[in-house]
Amino acid sequence: DVKVTQSSRYLVKRTGEKVFLECVQDMDHENMFWYRQDPGLGLRLIYFSYDVKMKEKGDIPEGYSVSREKKERFSLILESASTNQTSMYLCASSLGRYNEQFFGPGTRLTVL
Amino acid sequence: GENVEQHPSTLSVQEGDSAVIKCTYSDSASNYFPWYKQELGKRPQLIIDIRSNVGEKKDQRIAVTLNKTAKHFSLHITETQPEDSAVYFCAARSNNAGNMLTFGGGTRLMVKP
């Protein structure tokens, strides 16, 4: 079974803090994705990566950056957290661009 | 880019009834349409998908239909059970959007016993 894990289920941070969200997959998948999930808005793509050290902007990249130094790990970084970044963050991975995406359990981030 | 709209946002049915969730998409180049189910507190999981070269696909109690001309697709669940209660997301993938998935806003389905 594909396993996608995220470093925290719940996280509370203060405005202006730097926040790191980590995602690890154990199936040697090429592609990894970060989404944020908000009620009524579905899942919106923040960034994705097709390979190590490669990244592409999704639909809502503003205020975020990513890092993929190793194939199995994809990090989402909030350089200076703001209250409007309070959300559920979901990581996903897929073998190839056209394959099923497998999701992690999510990190519920609250920025105070 | 692609835009996917999903309706209704909430749906309540009696156990045993059918449920239908509808999605429309904007990009005629979209060619793959998955449906994900997210139970409360859990991760989204793929339950069924359809490609643009077919009009319907079934898997036991769930089916998906696609109308490419009208640019809409639907999820049908028959003989609903309480364990079908979840949030369902449709999505579309377009060559014009880097083959990324664009998701609908989700439908919260509640099946009353």
Side-chain angles (χ1 to χ4, degrees), chain B residues 28-70:
Chain B
S28 56
S30 288
N31 55 17
Y32 173 68
F33 307 90
W35 286 87
Y36 283 81
K37 175 184 180 182
Q38 185 178 30
E39 296 177 24
L40 189 63
K42 297 191 176 180
R43 68 194 74 195
Q45 291 190 299
L46 181 71
I47 54 170
I48 195 167
D49 56 14
I50 191 168
R51 299 183 189 276
S52 58
N53 57 348
V54 298
E56 184 175 1
K57 184 176 179 180
K58 282 185 179 180
D59 182 4
Q60 299 181 357
R61 294 187 297 107
I62 60 173
V64 58
T65 58
L66 171 65
N67 183 326
K68 283 168 51 180
T69 304

Side-chain angles (χ1 to χ4, degrees), chain A residues 58-88:
Chain A
D59 296 322
I60 52 165
E62 297 78 17
Y64 304 94
S65 62
V66 290
S67 172
R68 193 165 180 203
E69 296 296 318
K70 293 185 178 181
K71 191 175 186 179
E72 67 271 17
R73 188 180 299 269
F74 192 34
S75 302
L76 180 69
I77 303 154
L78 287 66
E79 293 288 342
S80 177
S82 63
T83 54
N84 62 11
Q85 293 179 309
T86 291
S87 186
M88 170 68 83

Side-chain angles (χ1 to χ4, degrees), chain A residues 4 9 33 35 37 40 42-43 50 97-98 100-101 103-104, chain B residues 36 38 41 43-44 46 89 93 98-101 103-105:
Chain A
V4 182
R9 290 302 302 270
F33 310 84
Y35 295 91
Q37 180 178 6
L43 282 67
Y50 288 136
R97 194 180 297 205
Y98 303 102
E100 176 184 353
Q101 291 187 21
F103 285 86
Chain B
Y36 283 81
Q38 185 178 30
R43 68 194 74 195
L46 181 71
F89 294 99
R93 185 175 68 204
N99 287 300
M100 290 297 102
L101 292 178
F103 286 84

